[in-house]
């Protein structure tokens, strides 16, 4: 994303093999964007801006903005940033790509806590424009502002939280929806197939142009108030994990990566589903580039 935006990028990996895997994914993402007319100029020029490093010091010593994407483990992330801070310029902004961990906790051992924050790229990051910018307790307003402006320069759609909260914005919304979807299946209200079908052919289409709060305004707050007054009481608000999700996870039925989860997954079904999702997201990127989305 940053190389596409014209910036020089140092990519750090612990081994040459991990760098090769990273470069392979960069090539695949770039090929997809190129094939769909979403890359300006030459692919080679973009690739030349990305340099691989197996030495962390050489990768970050001149960096002005650093993003970490290691395992979702608090202690691992803290250790990485503790080391990185000693190697970076004191003016560098340090950002974590965590999807839910607390930026305040990750930055506990840092001296320059004001220069640290979350910049959470949604997956797949080359096709999803949104990036959640989440300040920690000590993050400066300037750091948030610079990060947002930088993300806009590379064509992303940053959203800045006013304060940190578990799950940020996106995962709080996603998991509220997932909890109710699982509840509907667990309670025998509808099948898993019809739950997903309802989303694909109704809310999924409408929410692309009007968010939930806009949709409420468009539908009329009197109507939404009346529905909420009886429906909220019947929606799931359990703090416990759904039996369907819990039992699948315990059995090791983890979804597409194991071939079985809520659904059965064959290699052909997985490829078809990912291809369909890619095609939809590419069409939205084209719409973004033409100024047809908000």
């Amino acid at each position: 994303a940053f190389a596409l935006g014209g910036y020089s990028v140092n990519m750090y990996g612990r081994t040459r093999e991990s760098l090769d895997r990273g470069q392979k994914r960069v090539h695949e993402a770039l090929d997809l964007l190129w094939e769909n007319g979403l890359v300006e100029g030459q692919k080679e020029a973009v690739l030349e801006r990305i340099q691989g490093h197996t030495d962390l010091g050489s990768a970050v010593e001149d960096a002005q903005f650093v993003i970490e994407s290691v395992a979702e483990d608090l202690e691992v992330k803290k250790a990485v940033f503790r080391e990185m801070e000693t190697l970076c310029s004191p003016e560098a902004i340090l950002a974590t790509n965590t999807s839910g961990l607390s930026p305040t906790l990750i930055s506990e051992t840092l001296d320059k806590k004001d220069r640290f924050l979350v910049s959470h790229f949604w997956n797949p990051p080359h096709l999803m424009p949104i990036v959640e910018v989440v300040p920690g307790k000590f993050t400066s307003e300037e750091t948030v502002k610079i990060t947002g402006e930088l993300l806009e320069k590379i064509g992303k759609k940053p959203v800045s939280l006013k304060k940190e909260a578990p799950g940020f914005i996106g995962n709080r919304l996603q998991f509220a929806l997932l909890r109710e979807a699982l509840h509907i299946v667990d309670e025998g209200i509808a099948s898993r197939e019809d739950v997903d079908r309802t989303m694909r052919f109704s809310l999924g289409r409408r929410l692309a142009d009007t968010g939930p709060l806009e949709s409420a305004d468009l539908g009329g707050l009197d109507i939404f108030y009346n529905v909420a007054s009886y429906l909220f009481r019947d929606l799931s608000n359990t703090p416990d994990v759904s039996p369907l999700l819990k039992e699948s996870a315990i059995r090791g039925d983890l979804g597409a990566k194991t071939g079985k989860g809520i659904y059965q997954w064959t290699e052909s079904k997985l490829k078809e589903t990912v291809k369909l999702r890619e095609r939809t997201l590419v069409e939205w990127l084209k719409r973004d580039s033409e100024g047809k989305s908000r």
Side-chain angles (χ1 to χ4, degrees):
F2 284 94
L4 281 168
Y7 289 93
S8 297
V9 177
N10 288 340
M11 180 169 67
Y12 167 73
R14 287 174 292 181
T15 65
R16 177 50 57 183
E17 289 74 22
S18 67
L19 284 176
D20 289 343
R21 286 195 301 272
Q23 288 284 11
K24 181 174 182 291
R25 295 183 70 178
V26 167
H27 278 263
E28 291 170 350
L30 192 57
D31 285 344
L32 177 66
L33 296 174
W34 176 267
E35 290 162 7
N36 287 277
L38 293 166
V39 177
E40 295 182 6
Q42 298 297 315
K43 285 192 295 183
E44 292 72 18
V46 176
L47 293 170
E48 286 172 2
R49 297 188 193 112
I50 304 172
Q51 301 298 318
H53 294 260
T54 54
D55 176 71
L56 184 59
S58 64
V60 303
E61 61 183 350
D62 295 322
Q64 297 170 299
F65 191 86
V66 183
I67 299 181
E68 157 275 322
S69 294
V70 302
E72 281 289 273
D73 181 294
L74 179 61
E75 295 306 317
V76 171
K77 289 184 185 293
K78 286 169 71 172
V80 167
F81 281 108
R82 198 160 49 239
E83 179 183 5
M84 212 147 46
E85 188 179 44
T86 67
L87 301 170
C88 288
S89 159
E91 301 305 313
I93 291 176
L94 303 182
T96 172
N97 191 42
T98 180
S99 58
L101 292 174
S102 162
T104 299
L105 292 180
I106 297 174
S107 67
E108 270 183 338
T109 60
L110 298 182
D111 293 326
K112 299 280 288 183
K113 294 180 178 65
D114 61 310
R115 306 289 288 177
F116 180 85
L117 80 177
V118 170
S119 61
H120 175 225
F121 286 66
W122 271 65
N123 192 48
H126 59 296
L127 299 178
M128 296 288 277
I130 201 75
V131 182
E132 294 173 301
V133 179
V134 187
K137 182 178 179 181
F138 304 103
T139 307
S140 70
E141 290 184 10
E142 180 191 30
T143 297
V144 174
K145 180 175 180 289
I146 291 172
T147 301
E149 290 173 350
L150 176 61
L151 291 167
E152 286 181 348
K153 285 180 181 178
I154 64 170
K156 294 299 182 181
K157 307 285 187 186
V159 290
S160 297
L161 274 69
K162 295 180 179 180
K163 61 180 181 179
E164 67 176 294
F168 313 147
I169 301 172
N171 269 325
R172 293 179 79 92
L173 294 171
Q174 178 173 229
F175 276 81
L177 174 60
L178 178 61
R179 179 169 65 179
E180 189 58 36
L182 290 165
H183 177 70
I184 290 170
V185 176
D186 286 331
E187 291 295 305
I189 296 169
S191 69
R192 60 200 73 189
E193 292 83 4
D194 280 347
V195 169
D196 281 340
R197 186 177 177 85
T198 299
M199 178 56 60
R200 286 199 302 270
F201 293 107
S202 63
L203 293 174
R205 296 191 175 188
R206 192 169 71 192
L207 290 174
D209 277 318
T210 54
L213 303 179
E214 290 175 315
S215 293
D217 263 359
L218 289 173
L221 294 185
D222 53 337
I223 295 172
F224 273 73
Y225 169 74
N226 290 334
V227 173
S229 66
Y230 69 82
L231 186 56
F232 276 9
R233 292 194 297 271
D234 200 57
L235 296 178
S236 173
N237 64 355
T238 177
D240 300 321
V241 176
S242 150
L244 175 59
L245 180 58
K246 182 179 180 179
E247 291 165 12
S248 296
I250 290 173
R251 284 196 309 268
D253 295 334
L254 307 181
K257 62 184 176 183
T258 60
K260 183 181 180 183
I262 295 173
Y263 293 102
Q264 295 279 352
W265 291 90
T266 62
E267 188 174 341
S268 60
K269 180 183 177 182
L270 176 58
K271 286 182 179 178
E272 180 185 355
T273 303
V274 170
K275 196 73 177 176
L276 180 62
R277 183 177 73 169
E278 275 187 353
R279 190 171 67 200
T280 300
L281 294 176
V282 163
E283 288 305 313
W284 275 106
L285 283 182
K286 289 179 178 178
R287 182 172 164 174
D288 292 342
S289 68
E290 295 167 359
K292 294 179 180 178
S293 62
R294 303 162 64 204

